Tab-separated table of all heavy atoms in Angstrom:
chain	number	residue	atom	x	y	z
O	94	ASP	N	-7.806	-15.247	-23.996
O	94	ASP	CA	-9.200	-15.166	-24.423
O	94	ASP	C	-9.984	-14.411	-23.360
O	94	ASP	O	-10.842	-13.547	-23.667
O	94	ASP	CB	-9.892	-16.539	-24.647
O	94	ASP	CG	-9.356	-17.154	-25.950
O	94	ASP	OD1	-8.805	-16.417	-26.775
O	94	ASP	OD2	-9.581	-18.326	-26.131
O	95	LEU	N	-9.749	-14.718	-22.047
O	95	LEU	CA	-10.578	-14.151	-21.024
O	95	LEU	C	-10.262	-12.588	-20.955
O	95	LEU	O	-11.215	-11.795	-20.878
O	95	LEU	CB	-10.094	-14.739	-19.661
O	95	LEU	CG	-10.667	-14.106	-18.393
O	95	LEU	CD1	-12.275	-14.231	-18.379
O	95	LEU	CD2	-10.188	-14.877	-17.173
O	96	VAL	N	-8.960	-12.203	-21.002
O	96	VAL	CA	-8.574	-10.805	-20.923
O	96	VAL	C	-9.116	-10.100	-22.165
O	96	VAL	O	-9.497	-8.902	-22.106
O	96	VAL	CB	-7.069	-10.644	-20.657
O	96	VAL	CG1	-6.677	-9.228	-20.723
O	96	VAL	CG2	-6.685	-11.316	-19.334
O	97	THR	N	-9.027	-10.726	-23.326
O	97	THR	CA	-9.429	-10.069	-24.652
O	97	THR	C	-10.912	-9.868	-24.487
O	97	THR	O	-11.408	-8.731	-24.898
O	97	THR	CB	-9.077	-10.922	-25.770
O	97	THR	OG1	-7.721	-11.133	-25.864
O	97	THR	CG2	-9.597	-10.331	-27.110
O	98	ALA	N	-11.745	-10.702	-23.943
O	98	ALA	CA	-13.115	-10.590	-23.807
O	98	ALA	C	-13.421	-9.429	-22.841
O	98	ALA	O	-14.367	-8.632	-23.056
O	98	ALA	CB	-13.818	-11.836	-23.356
O	99	LEU	N	-12.685	-9.325	-21.757
O	99	LEU	CA	-12.864	-8.262	-20.827
O	99	LEU	C	-12.503	-6.894	-21.402
O	99	LEU	O	-13.202	-5.870	-21.235
O	99	LEU	CB	-12.031	-8.426	-19.522
O	99	LEU	CG	-12.486	-9.591	-18.634
O	99	LEU	CD1	-11.530	-9.923	-17.576
O	99	LEU	CD2	-13.813	-9.236	-18.001
O	100	ALA	N	-11.461	-6.827	-22.333
O	100	ALA	CA	-11.125	-5.609	-22.982
O	100	ALA	C	-12.239	-5.131	-23.869
O	100	ALA	O	-12.420	-3.910	-24.004
O	100	ALA	CB	-9.821	-5.803	-23.782
O	101	ALA	N	-12.967	-6.076	-24.427
O	101	ALA	CA	-14.149	-5.681	-25.319
O	101	ALA	C	-15.207	-5.030	-24.542
O	101	ALA	O	-16.007	-4.262	-25.082
O	101	ALA	CB	-14.683	-6.891	-26.069
O	102	ARG	N	-15.353	-5.277	-23.238
O	102	ARG	CA	-16.324	-4.694	-22.418
O	102	ARG	C	-15.930	-3.438	-21.629
O	102	ARG	O	-16.668	-2.694	-21.025
O	102	ARG	CB	-16.779	-5.710	-21.307
O	102	ARG	CG	-17.423	-6.969	-21.903
O	102	ARG	CD	-17.609	-8.017	-20.781
O	102	ARG	NE	-18.538	-7.492	-19.775
O	102	ARG	CZ	-19.817	-7.715	-19.727
O	102	ARG	NH1	-20.366	-8.485	-20.683
O	102	ARG	NH2	-20.595	-7.245	-18.767
O	103	ALA	N	-14.595	-3.181	-21.744
O	103	ALA	CA	-13.937	-2.087	-20.916
O	103	ALA	C	-14.061	-0.685	-21.521
O	103	ALA	O	-14.075	-0.547	-22.754
O	103	ALA	CB	-12.518	-2.444	-20.632
O	104	ASP	N	-14.177	0.280	-20.714
O	104	ASP	CA	-14.006	1.687	-21.171
O	104	ASP	C	-12.573	2.100	-21.147
O	104	ASP	O	-12.093	2.953	-21.861
O	104	ASP	CB	-14.843	2.600	-20.263
O	104	ASP	CG	-16.238	2.313	-20.219
O	104	ASP	OD1	-16.962	2.666	-21.225
O	104	ASP	OD2	-16.735	1.690	-19.311
O	105	VAL	N	-11.853	1.561	-20.178
O	105	VAL	CA	-10.442	1.839	-19.933
O	105	VAL	C	-9.555	0.599	-19.741
O	105	VAL	O	-10.000	-0.315	-19.124
O	105	VAL	CB	-10.323	2.802	-18.653
O	105	VAL	CG1	-8.858	3.092	-18.319
O	105	VAL	CG2	-11.182	3.987	-18.732
O	106	VAL	N	-8.412	0.681	-20.326
O	106	VAL	CA	-7.357	-0.398	-20.128
O	106	VAL	C	-6.147	0.362	-19.573
O	106	VAL	O	-5.685	1.345	-20.158
O	106	VAL	CB	-7.063	-1.207	-21.319
O	106	VAL	CG1	-5.863	-2.132	-21.038
O	106	VAL	CG2	-8.207	-2.071	-21.833
O	107	ILE	N	-5.536	-0.178	-18.500
O	107	ILE	CA	-4.333	0.435	-17.929
O	107	ILE	C	-3.366	-0.666	-17.738
O	107	ILE	O	-3.652	-1.754	-17.227
O	107	ILE	CB	-4.609	1.207	-16.682
O	107	ILE	CG1	-3.333	1.890	-16.168
O	107	ILE	CG2	-5.240	0.394	-15.567
O	107	ILE	CD1	-3.594	2.967	-15.096
O	108	GLU	N	-2.155	-0.486	-18.164
O	108	GLU	CA	-1.073	-1.459	-18.087
O	108	GLU	C	0.297	-0.882	-17.819
O	108	GLU	O	0.512	0.279	-18.166
O	108	GLU	CB	-1.040	-2.332	-19.341
O	108	GLU	CG	-0.817	-1.559	-20.656
O	108	GLU	CD	0.666	-1.420	-21.042
O	108	GLU	OE1	1.527	-2.016	-20.377
O	108	GLU	OE2	0.958	-0.693	-22.013
O	109	ASN	N	1.176	-1.640	-17.177
O	109	ASN	CA	2.570	-1.142	-16.968
O	109	ASN	C	3.579	-2.233	-17.340
O	109	ASN	O	4.621	-2.428	-16.666
O	109	ASN	CB	2.713	-0.743	-15.490
O	109	ASN	CG	2.569	-1.850	-14.546
O	109	ASN	OD1	2.196	-2.933	-14.785
O	109	ASN	ND2	3.018	-1.531	-13.238
O	110	TYR	N	3.364	-2.904	-18.478
O	110	TYR	CA	4.353	-3.793	-19.081
O	110	TYR	C	5.461	-2.920	-19.738
O	110	TYR	O	5.262	-1.680	-19.941
O	110	TYR	CB	3.763	-4.685	-20.109
O	110	TYR	CG	2.970	-5.780	-19.498
O	110	TYR	CD1	1.719	-5.608	-18.879
O	110	TYR	CD2	3.416	-7.086	-19.615
O	110	TYR	CE1	0.952	-6.623	-18.398
O	110	TYR	CE2	2.674	-8.233	-19.080
O	110	TYR	CZ	1.440	-7.936	-18.432
O	110	TYR	OH	0.705	-8.988	-17.859
O	111	LYS	N	6.592	-3.571	-19.955
O	111	LYS	CA	7.585	-2.835	-20.737
O	111	LYS	C	6.991	-2.509	-22.068
O	111	LYS	O	6.199	-3.194	-22.640
O	111	LYS	CB	8.879	-3.787	-20.893
O	111	LYS	CG	9.653	-3.945	-19.666
O	111	LYS	CD	10.820	-4.856	-19.818
O	111	LYS	CE	11.588	-5.178	-18.539
O	111	LYS	NZ	12.742	-5.993	-18.754
O	112	PRO	N	7.483	-1.391	-22.702
O	112	PRO	CA	6.966	-1.036	-24.019
O	112	PRO	C	7.062	-2.184	-24.967
O	112	PRO	O	8.073	-2.749	-25.110
O	112	PRO	CB	7.830	0.197	-24.368
O	112	PRO	CG	8.219	0.837	-23.138
O	112	PRO	CD	8.352	-0.308	-22.149
O	113	GLY	N	5.873	-2.419	-25.653
O	113	GLY	CA	5.844	-3.555	-26.566
O	113	GLY	C	5.568	-4.895	-25.948
O	113	GLY	O	5.444	-5.893	-26.708
O	114	GLY	N	5.530	-4.925	-24.612
O	114	GLY	CA	5.428	-6.263	-24.015
O	114	GLY	C	4.159	-6.934	-24.179
O	114	GLY	O	4.038	-8.244	-23.952
O	115	LEU	N	3.063	-6.278	-24.601
O	115	LEU	CA	1.753	-6.905	-24.756
O	115	LEU	C	1.408	-7.188	-26.205
O	115	LEU	O	0.383	-7.734	-26.504
O	115	LEU	CB	0.632	-5.978	-24.177
O	115	LEU	CG	0.716	-5.944	-22.684
O	115	LEU	CD1	-0.365	-4.879	-22.083
O	115	LEU	CD2	0.303	-7.312	-22.044
O	116	VAL	N	2.343	-6.854	-27.157
O	116	VAL	CA	2.087	-7.044	-28.554
O	116	VAL	C	1.879	-8.591	-28.879
O	116	VAL	O	0.957	-8.943	-29.579
O	116	VAL	CB	3.275	-6.519	-29.387
O	116	VAL	CG1	3.072	-6.923	-30.864
O	116	VAL	CG2	3.277	-4.994	-29.299
O	117	LYS	N	2.755	-9.375	-28.242
O	117	LYS	CA	2.669	-10.855	-28.573
O	117	LYS	C	1.358	-11.487	-27.994
O	117	LYS	O	0.984	-12.582	-28.514
O	117	LYS	CB	3.845	-11.545	-27.885
O	117	LYS	CG	3.944	-11.481	-26.410
O	117	LYS	CD	5.284	-12.085	-25.890
O	117	LYS	CE	5.393	-11.869	-24.370
O	117	LYS	NZ	6.619	-12.430	-23.922
O	118	PHE	N	0.658	-10.740	-27.160
O	118	PHE	CA	-0.636	-11.239	-26.619
O	118	PHE	C	-1.818	-10.600	-27.394
O	118	PHE	O	-2.928	-10.995	-27.035
O	118	PHE	CB	-0.717	-11.047	-25.159
O	118	PHE	CG	0.333	-11.589	-24.356
O	118	PHE	CD1	1.127	-10.723	-23.482
O	118	PHE	CD2	0.712	-12.945	-24.391
O	118	PHE	CE1	2.154	-11.297	-22.680
O	118	PHE	CE2	1.730	-13.438	-23.611
O	118	PHE	CZ	2.496	-12.631	-22.760
O	119	GLY	N	-1.551	-9.699	-28.318
O	119	GLY	CA	-2.611	-9.018	-28.983
O	119	GLY	C	-3.436	-8.103	-27.970
O	119	GLY	O	-4.542	-7.829	-28.261
O	120	LEU	N	-2.717	-7.655	-26.975
O	120	LEU	CA	-3.359	-6.744	-25.967
O	120	LEU	C	-2.638	-5.354	-25.945
O	120	LEU	O	-2.881	-4.641	-24.968
O	120	LEU	CB	-3.328	-7.411	-24.656
O	120	LEU	CG	-4.194	-8.689	-24.519
O	120	LEU	CD1	-3.810	-9.423	-23.239
O	120	LEU	CD2	-5.705	-8.341	-24.531
O	121	ASP	N	-1.911	-5.035	-26.885
O	121	ASP	CA	-1.249	-3.715	-26.966
O	121	ASP	C	-2.252	-2.722	-27.458
O	121	ASP	O	-3.343	-3.025	-27.866
O	121	ASP	CB	-0.054	-3.789	-27.996
O	121	ASP	CG	-0.540	-4.258	-29.375
O	121	ASP	OD1	-0.947	-5.467	-29.465
O	121	ASP	OD2	-0.519	-3.419	-30.355
O	122	HIS	N	-1.875	-1.450	-27.325
O	122	HIS	CA	-2.851	-0.346	-27.535
O	122	HIS	C	-3.197	-0.262	-29.027
O	122	HIS	O	-4.426	0.038	-29.294
O	122	HIS	CB	-2.248	0.992	-27.149
O	122	HIS	CG	-1.122	1.579	-27.935
O	122	HIS	ND1	0.212	1.228	-27.677
O	122	HIS	CD2	-1.195	2.419	-28.984
O	122	HIS	CE1	0.967	1.894	-28.559
O	122	HIS	NE2	0.191	2.687	-29.362
O	123	GLU	N	-2.303	-0.535	-29.951
O	123	GLU	CA	-2.710	-0.476	-31.422
O	123	GLU	C	-3.726	-1.525	-31.739
O	123	GLU	O	-4.690	-1.247	-32.416
O	123	GLU	CB	-1.418	-0.603	-32.217
O	123	GLU	CG	-0.544	0.565	-32.126
O	123	GLU	CD	0.690	0.492	-33.150
O	123	GLU	OE1	0.815	-0.525	-33.765
O	123	GLU	OE2	1.407	1.447	-33.254
O	124	THR	N	-3.522	-2.759	-31.231
O	124	THR	CA	-4.431	-3.846	-31.534
O	124	THR	C	-5.842	-3.595	-30.949
O	124	THR	O	-6.829	-3.618	-31.631
O	124	THR	CB	-3.922	-5.135	-31.032
O	124	THR	OG1	-2.681	-5.417	-31.653
O	124	THR	CG2	-4.863	-6.309	-31.367
O	125	LEU	N	-5.822	-3.191	-29.647
O	125	LEU	CA	-7.135	-2.992	-29.013
O	125	LEU	C	-7.888	-1.743	-29.510
O	125	LEU	O	-9.144	-1.753	-29.592
O	125	LEU	CB	-6.914	-2.966	-27.482
O	125	LEU	CG	-6.555	-4.304	-26.851
O	125	LEU	CD1	-6.544	-4.187	-25.353
O	125	LEU	CD2	-7.474	-5.435	-27.176
O	126	LEU	N	-7.174	-0.662	-29.719
O	126	LEU	CA	-7.845	0.472	-30.278
O	126	LEU	C	-8.340	0.327	-31.665
O	126	LEU	O	-9.360	0.894	-32.072
O	126	LEU	CB	-6.850	1.690	-30.198
O	126	LEU	CG	-6.723	2.388	-28.838
O	126	LEU	CD1	-5.508	3.330	-28.802
O	126	LEU	CD2	-8.008	3.117	-28.465
O	127	SER	N	-7.698	-0.557	-32.471
O	127	SER	CA	-8.280	-0.816	-33.753
O	127	SER	C	-9.538	-1.657	-33.710
O	127	SER	O	-10.463	-1.459	-34.537
O	127	SER	CB	-7.249	-1.573	-34.652
O	127	SER	OG	-7.002	-2.926	-34.105
O	128	ARG	N	-9.634	-2.421	-32.677
O	128	ARG	CA	-10.866	-3.230	-32.483
O	128	ARG	C	-11.988	-2.442	-31.787
O	128	ARG	O	-13.088	-2.618	-32.002
O	128	ARG	CB	-10.569	-4.459	-31.590
O	128	ARG	CG	-9.651	-5.554	-32.389
O	128	ARG	CD	-9.385	-6.630	-31.344
O	128	ARG	NE	-8.490	-7.688	-31.935
O	128	ARG	CZ	-8.016	-8.695	-31.243
O	128	ARG	NH1	-8.364	-8.872	-29.987
O	128	ARG	NH2	-7.231	-9.548	-31.877
O	129	HIS	N	-11.469	-1.533	-30.855
O	129	HIS	CA	-12.470	-0.838	-29.998
O	129	HIS	C	-12.048	0.675	-30.076
O	129	HIS	O	-11.347	1.160	-29.142
O	129	HIS	CB	-12.440	-1.354	-28.566
O	129	HIS	CG	-12.409	-2.840	-28.493
O	129	HIS	ND1	-13.525	-3.589	-28.867
O	129	HIS	CD2	-11.527	-3.792	-28.051
O	129	HIS	CE1	-13.275	-4.924	-28.700
O	129	HIS	NE2	-12.030	-4.966	-28.187
O	130	PRO	N	-12.548	1.337	-31.049
O	130	PRO	CA	-12.028	2.801	-31.279
O	130	PRO	C	-12.374	3.753	-30.098
O	130	PRO	O	-11.747	4.789	-30.012
O	130	PRO	CB	-12.801	3.184	-32.528
O	130	PRO	CG	-13.135	1.909	-33.230
O	130	PRO	CD	-13.319	0.885	-32.177
O	131	GLY	N	-13.327	3.389	-29.261
O	131	GLY	CA	-13.674	4.258	-28.130
O	131	GLY	C	-12.931	3.947	-26.910
O	131	GLY	O	-13.216	4.545	-25.890
O	132	LEU	N	-11.966	2.978	-26.938
O	132	LEU	CA	-11.297	2.624	-25.730
O	132	LEU	C	-10.228	3.715	-25.356
O	132	LEU	O	-9.588	4.234	-26.165
O	132	LEU	CB	-10.566	1.344	-26.012
O	132	LEU	CG	-9.798	0.689	-24.860
O	132	LEU	CD1	-10.800	0.226	-23.802
O	132	LEU	CD2	-8.969	-0.530	-25.398
O	133	VAL	N	-10.177	3.883	-23.987
O	133	VAL	CA	-9.079	4.693	-23.400
O	133	VAL	C	-8.004	3.724	-22.874
O	133	VAL	O	-8.354	2.941	-22.055
O	133	VAL	CB	-9.596	5.668	-22.315
O	133	VAL	CG1	-8.411	6.280	-21.631
O	133	VAL	CG2	-10.495	6.694	-22.907
O	134	TYR	N	-6.844	3.781	-23.474
O	134	TYR	CA	-5.788	2.842	-23.087
O	134	TYR	C	-4.568	3.642	-22.606
O	134	TYR	O	-4.047	4.416	-23.284
O	134	TYR	CB	-5.369	2.091	-24.408
O	134	TYR	CG	-4.458	0.916	-24.231
O	134	TYR	CD1	-4.870	-0.350	-24.527
O	134	TYR	CD2	-3.194	1.058	-23.830
O	134	TYR	CE1	-4.109	-1.498	-24.308
O	134	TYR	CE2	-2.339	-0.047	-23.676
O	134	TYR	CZ	-2.784	-1.234	-23.998
O	134	TYR	OH	-1.934	-2.379	-23.789
O	135	CYS	N	-4.259	3.284	-21.277
O	135	CYS	CA	-3.197	4.020	-20.569
O	135	CYS	C	-1.975	3.102	-20.339
O	135	CYS	O	-2.116	2.000	-19.692
O	135	CYS	CB	-3.688	4.547	-19.261
O	135	CYS	SG	-2.472	5.513	-18.290
O	136	SER	N	-0.829	3.416	-20.839
O	136	SER	CA	0.396	2.690	-20.660
O	136	SER	C	1.333	3.462	-19.726
O	136	SER	O	1.585	4.691	-19.886
O	136	SER	CB	1.148	2.502	-21.935
O	136	SER	OG	0.412	1.777	-22.906
O	137	ILE	N	1.875	2.776	-18.674
O	137	ILE	CA	2.804	3.351	-17.676
O	137	ILE	C	4.034	2.521	-17.819
O	137	ILE	O	4.013	1.287	-17.774
O	137	ILE	CB	2.271	3.251	-16.280
O	137	ILE	CG1	0.961	4.235	-16.184
O	137	ILE	CG2	3.337	3.643	-15.265
O	137	ILE	CD1	0.339	4.104	-14.757
O	138	SER	N	5.182	3.183	-17.990
O	138	SER	CA	6.416	2.508	-18.017
O	138	SER	C	7.529	3.388	-17.338
O	138	SER	O	7.174	4.542	-16.949
O	138	SER	CB	6.853	2.216	-19.423
O	138	SER	OG	6.900	3.466	-20.217
O	139	GLY	N	8.702	2.877	-17.228
O	139	GLY	CA	9.797	3.709	-16.515
O	139	GLY	C	10.135	4.889	-17.254
O	139	GLY	O	10.312	6.010	-16.685
O	140	PHE	N	10.334	4.805	-18.604
O	140	PHE	CA	10.871	5.911	-19.401
O	140	PHE	C	9.955	6.305	-20.540
O	140	PHE	O	10.317	7.251	-21.313
O	140	PHE	CB	12.286	5.596	-19.923
O	140	PHE	CG	13.299	5.543	-18.841
O	140	PHE	CD1	13.579	4.371	-18.163
O	140	PHE	CD2	14.007	6.686	-18.504
O	140	PHE	CE1	14.514	4.269	-17.189
O	140	PHE	CE2	14.946	6.611	-17.515
O	140	PHE	CZ	15.237	5.478	-16.827
O	141	GLY	N	8.847	5.662	-20.805
O	141	GLY	CA	7.930	6.006	-21.827
O	141	GLY	C	8.115	5.123	-23.067
O	141	GLY	O	9.033	4.302	-23.156
O	142	GLN	N	7.227	5.332	-24.074
O	142	GLN	CA	7.233	4.485	-25.279
O	142	GLN	C	8.291	4.840	-26.304
O	142	GLN	O	8.500	4.109	-27.202
O	142	GLN	CB	5.782	4.516	-25.952
O	142	GLN	CG	4.662	4.174	-24.928
O	142	GLN	CD	4.708	2.783	-24.486
O	142	GLN	OE1	4.746	1.832	-25.298
O	142	GLN	NE2	4.674	2.494	-23.194
O	143	GLN	N	8.889	5.985	-26.124
O	143	GLN	CA	9.955	6.373	-27.011
O	143	GLN	C	11.165	6.903	-26.213
O	143	GLN	O	11.072	7.073	-24.991
O	143	GLN	CB	9.514	7.576	-27.939
O	143	GLN	CG	8.410	7.282	-28.919
O	143	GLN	CD	7.038	7.447	-28.270
O	143	GLN	OE1	6.905	8.356	-27.461
O	143	GLN	NE2	6.016	6.761	-28.659
Side-chain angles (χ1 to χ4, degrees):
D94 285 346
L95 175 61
V96 176
T97 300
L99 288 170
R102 299 172 62 95
D104 299 284
V105 176
V106 172
I107 184 167
E108 57 90 6
N109 66 347
Y110 283 70
K111 291 180 182 178
L115 287 172
V116 172
K117 62 185 176 182
F118 303 126
L120 294 168
D121 56 294
H122 72 273
E123 290 185 354
T124 299
L125 290 185
L126 279 166
S127 68
R128 294 177 181 174
H129 314 295
L132 183 67
V133 171
Y134 190 111
C135 180
S136 298
I137 294 175
S138 59
F140 290 88
Q142 303 295 306
Q143 297 87 31

